[in-house]
Amino acid sequence: MKRGFLCCLALGSVICTGPALAADAPVTNATLVELRWWFFGMFAGSLLLLSFFWARGQGLFGFLAALVLLGSSARLRLTQPLWFPRLDISSNPPENLIMLMMLVAQAVLTGAVLMRPSGREAVRYLFTRAGLARLFFLMVLVAVFCLSATPYVAYGYYVAFGLQIGVGGALSLVQMATLVSMFAVAGPDCMPRIPVSALAVFTAVASGILAWTAFDRVPHVEDELAYLFQAQTFAAGTLWAPAPPEAAHPALEYYLLEIHEGKWISVPAQGWAIVLSLGVLIGAPWMINPILTGISVCLAHEIVRRAVSRERADMVALLMATSPWVLAVGATLMNHALMLVTILLAWWCLIRAGKGVRRAVLLAFVAGLALGWGFVTRPLDGLIVGGLTGLWLLRRLPGGIGQVLACGIGGVLSASAVFLLNYAITGDPLLTAQADYLSRLWPDTQNAFGFGENVGPPAQSWGALDIWIGHSPAEAVLNLINAIASLNFELLGWTFGSLVPIWVLLIWGKRLSGFDRAMFVVLVALVGVLFFYWFTGTFYLGPRYWHTALLPILVLSAAGVEAINDRLPERHRGRLQCVILLLCAVSVVSFTPWRGVSKYNGYGGYTGDIRRQAAGLGNALVFVSTQGDIGSALYLNDPFLPEGKPIFLRDMGPEQNADIIAAFPGRDVVYLGDEE
């Protein structure tokens, strides 16, 4: 834990006690000492901000910038980070009172600045230009989506939910008022242009640091372990490993890994694992996603630059490179970063393609290959985005018939891998390994779309993550609200609300380009289809099922920033860019390390402790007893269980362990448990 905390730092009584929501669940993965060190780092950062602007003769702006950092960090310090983040205000630990005092001081000092003549002028201009009713509606959205309603509905804590909204909305109002006050003092009015190559390198490095430290190069959910298992079998040139001895089956059993008909196989869609196998071959699977994440920044910038403008592209790249959501997804072993790259690569090729020339046809063919591989990686996302992209491409007819055909052929070629893999694994080209597996695991229900009592996992097996039996329109609405609230928290790391630019765009409006409208259609289509799915999966990486729509979300966010800029006095338009840069910097140095320390390090009971304890072990059977997730040990297995390498197993007790030992004669026997 402490090792992960220190490296992350280098990167940069609840209001109503009811929402102790999952009774005995821990509220953070960080120790009190770790959080104190994190906040000490934020305090030091605020002093650096103040001194930087003071030296430039902009001391009051620097003071307000320091307030932005300290206020955001104090709010995070009062936030319970796991599962469904919420404010956790109590007198224990004692520094909670200090955090509250800081937030009160922020409100008082911001008010003092706004009471000056220039401050009153800024407030007057804001109310006149924006309108009181629209500002009120904006604050309602900010307050309502400052936390998820799901656990409060699940456990009936409606009063607590109302109090959380009230306090969260008030804190957001103070933080946004501080930003307004920054336009009423002398400060920077020209943001330096950051090269997109620098942003891409930063993104890859930051994700890599998170992967090495907070995530500790360990899977943190079952899906990641399953992808790694798949990648190891693919790296060996096979689709599955031979089934281990029957006595060992219970000790090796794990969700999404199936031992069936002589095969030991991982069942998720295979597109990502095939790419991840390259990381297995070089001995560093954790490096693949950070590289893909850096590439996605470059592709996103090029797409938006060609489709809209360089200014919009620069803003999208900045928001993307500093997004805690993007950096965290890039630090995992999940398939979302690859899915994003396949889509962006396809769109980049199609935007670059001209009309009727050989180069354009080749680019369209590559776009088709990329879209098809997206289908192999995440079939539903690939189907939605591929279909919408195909409809957009039809606009180039009749002159662009070559591009349409080339894209279609490329898509069919790569997407057909799904059916070939299905046939090889299940014997049916239309039956996926995961569907076949879940049909046995959930014989009475379905992992499906739509409504009904038989949609979703077995009854009462997922707690607040799936609060009602089956799936219904009411639960779909609740899931949608939960996903929006999660995106609002995770997307940009702006504690007053990451979706404020989009709210501004929707409330005040802006003339949208055709590309903007296309992005809006993609976002609505993905969200609309997922409305009918029983699960949102926000507990680990935010609304990760929406990650495919990252570019549309950021394009609309950047359009919202432009909508704000359009309504500012001419003399302040450069100031807004500087404030956005400040917010992005605060996100990088405060929100992302806080997430790494308080959540991702040790998340779900997965740690690297077993790996470190087992260093140097050879031909051994390693029986592991842990209060964490046994996946922390099982992911270390070579799927083929070869001689000379340790085999990690769940400790099943003396009798069953003896049968396992007999099934693997000649191996040493080692017992490991949690480190003290």
Side-chain angles (χ1 to χ4, degrees):
M1 288 280 195
K2 293 180 180 177
R3 175 180 172 276
F5 163 73
L6 291 172
C7 294
C8 267
L9 193 57
L11 173 64
S13 84
V14 185
I15 290 177
C16 189
T17 54
L21 300 175
D24 298 322
V27 296
T28 178
N29 286 331
T31 66
L32 190 58
V33 171
E34 289 170 340
L35 286 173
R36 285 171 177 167
W37 275 108
W38 165 78
F39 193 82
F40 176 78
M42 299 308 102
F43 183 77
S46 68
L47 294 179
L48 287 175
L49 267 177
L50 177 58
S51 61
F52 174 79
F53 287 106
W54 188 279
R56 297 166 60 94
Q58 299 165 345
L60 192 50
F61 185 91
F63 179 73
L64 292 171
L67 278 183
V68 170
L69 175 56
L70 279 179
S72 296
S73 302
R75 182 168 181 173
L76 291 175
R77 182 63 183 82
L78 293 172
T79 298
Q80 184 279 110
L82 300 182
W83 299 101
F84 303 97
R86 66 183 191 278
L87 288 170
D88 189 359
I89 300 174
S90 66
S91 58
N92 185 27
E95 57 258 39
N96 281 6
L97 298 177
I98 299 175
M99 301 301 128
L100 287 172
M101 290 171 61
M102 286 186 175
L103 292 168
V104 171
Q106 181 182 7
V108 171
L109 295 171
T110 297
V113 173
L114 292 176
M115 288 301 294
R116 301 165 76 230
S118 58
R120 291 198 298 270
E121 180 186 349
V123 172
R124 191 180 307 112
Y125 183 89
L126 174 65
F127 285 144
T128 302
R129 197 83 170 89
L132 188 59
R134 291 184 179 184
L135 287 172
F136 177 77
F137 185 40
L138 172 63
M139 291 312 304
V140 168
L141 289 173
V142 167
V144 167
F145 290 107
C146 71
L147 77 163
S148 172
T150 297
Y152 297 90
V153 173
Y155 298 103
Y157 298 124
Y158 302 109
V159 173
F161 182 56
L163 290 171
Q164 287 272 353
I165 287 176
V167 175
L171 292 178
S172 296
L173 178 61
V174 170
Q175 293 176 291
M176 294 168 72
T178 304
L179 300 181
V180 172
S181 70
M182 300 180 86
F183 291 86
V185 300
D189 289 312
C190 181
M191 184 183 84
R193 184 175 182 274
I194 305 174
V196 67
S197 57
L199 290 173
V201 170
F202 168 80
T203 306
V205 171
S207 287
I209 291 174
L210 276 175
W212 184 273
T213 58
F215 289 89
D216 205 5
R217 293 159 290 144
V218 176
H220 281 69
V221 291
E222 294 93 336
D223 308 59
E224 292 181 274
L225 189 148
Y227 289 130
L228 185 59
F229 185 100
Q230 266 184 341
Q232 290 172 304
T233 58
F234 293 158
T238 67
L239 296 178
W240 56 77
E246 187 173 354
H249 289 190
L252 294 169
E253 181 184 359
Y254 203 72
Y255 181 62
L256 297 179
L257 299 184
E258 183 174 36
I259 302 172
H260 183 63
E261 296 180 348
K263 306 172 186 174
W264 192 15
I265 191 166
S266 173
V267 302
Q270 297 87 358
W272 162 231
I274 291 173
V275 175
L276 184 61
S277 66
L278 300 175
V280 171
L281 290 172
I282 65 173
W286 61 272
M287 289 180 59
I288 302 301
N289 262 343
I291 293 171
L292 291 174
T293 304
I295 292 171
S296 69
V297 173
C298 292
L299 289 172
H301 184 272
E302 269 298 290
I303 291 168
V304 180
R305 184 183 67 83
R306 290 173 178 270
V308 185
S309 67
R310 175 177 290 278
E311 291 72 21
R312 178 82 70 84
D314 289 346
M315 182 57 66
V316 167
L318 175 64
L319 296 178
M320 190 173 186
T322 58
S323 164
W325 193 36
V326 171
L327 297 177
V329 170
T332 69
L333 296 175
M334 298 295 280
N335 61 9
H336 303 286
L338 175 63
M339 185 68 212
L340 181 63
V341 166
T342 63
I343 293 169
L344 296 182
L345 176 60
W347 289 350
W348 177 74
C349 288
L350 293 176
I351 284 178
R352 291 189 66 203
K355 294 185 177 180
V357 297
R358 184 177 302 176
R359 175 173 172 273
V361 171
L362 178 60
L363 285 170
F365 179 72
V366 174
L369 290 175
L371 289 172
W373 201 254
F375 179 73
V376 181
T377 302
R378 293 187 64 81
L380 177 66
D381 296 18
L383 188 63
I384 295 170
V385 177
L388 291 174
T389 303
L391 290 175
W392 175 83
L393 188 59
L394 289 176
R395 299 187 319 155
R396 299 189 179 182
L397 292 175
I401 184 65
Q403 294 180 44
V404 173
L405 290 176
C407 186
I409 292 170
V412 169
L413 282 176
S414 57
S416 62
V418 166
F419 307 106
L420 295 175
L421 289 165
N422 289 346
Y423 183 75
I425 295 169
T426 68
D428 182 346
L430 300 180
L431 179 63
T432 67
Q434 185 163 325
D436 187 40
Y437 165 74
L438 289 177
S439 69
R440 287 185 287 274
L441 187 66
W442 301 352
D444 300 321
T445 60
Q446 304 173 49
N447 179 36
F449 286 77
F451 302 127
E453 292 189 358
N454 67 333
V455 175
Q460 307 301 322
S461 64
W462 289 55
L465 301 179
D466 182 48
I467 64 177
W468 294 313
I469 295 174
H471 191 48
S472 65
E475 188 168 36
V477 171
L478 187 61
N479 286 347
L480 177 63
I481 294 171
N482 173 48
I484 294 173
S486 180
L487 186 67
N488 188 49
F489 187 72
E490 304 282 0
L491 175 63
L492 302 176
W494 299 355
T495 53
F496 57 85
S498 297
L499 294 181
V500 165
I502 292 182
W503 299 145
V504 168
L505 183 65
L506 294 176
I507 295 171
W508 280 273
K510 172 184 169 58
R511 189 175 186 84
L512 299 178
S513 68
F515 182 76
D516 293 331
R517 292 192 292 272
M519 293 295 96
F520 184 76
V521 169
V522 172
L523 175 59
V524 170
L526 280 164
V527 171
V529 170
L530 289 169
F531 181 82
F532 297 95
Y533 190 53
W534 60 272
F535 190 50
T536 53
T538 61
F539 59 93
Y540 177 35
L541 291 169
R544 61 185 182 87
Y545 294 163
W546 290 9
H547 191 267
T548 300
L550 178 66
L551 183 61
I553 292 168
L554 293 179
V555 165
L556 296 174
S557 296
V561 172
E562 291 177 0
I564 298 172
N565 211 37
D566 291 344
R567 288 163 174 79
L568 287 175
E570 189 70 33
R571 67 182 186 278
H572 284 324
R573 293 189 175 179
R575 179 71 56 86
L576 178 63
Q577 311 303 316
C578 297
V579 171
I580 296 296
L581 180 59
L582 171 67
L583 290 174
C584 291
V586 168
S587 175
V588 169
V589 302
S590 178
F591 189 98
T592 300
W594 171 77
R595 242 0 191 167
V597 170
S598 66
K599 180 178 181 179
Y600 298 132
N601 190 17
Y603 178 81
Y606 294 81
T607 72
D609 293 343
I610 299 298
R611 181 187 70 229
R612 286 182 278 274
Q613 290 183 61
L617 290 179
N619 191 42
L621 293 177
V622 184
F623 291 97
V624 178
S625 176
T626 176
Q627 294 183 350
D629 195 288
I630 192 62
S632 297
L634 298 185
Y635 92 95
L636 297 167
N637 282 326
D638 184 314
F640 301 92
L641 308 181
E643 292 287 334
K645 289 187 177 181
I647 300 175
F648 295 86
L649 307 112
R650 182 184 287 105
D651 190 335
M652 305 298 295
E655 186 174 338
Q656 285 186 270
N657 288 351
D659 293 337
I660 296 171
I661 293 169
F664 293 96
R667 286 183 177 261
D668 298 331
V669 177
V670 177
Y671 291 88
L672 294 180
D674 292 322
E675 289 183 329
E676 295 299 327

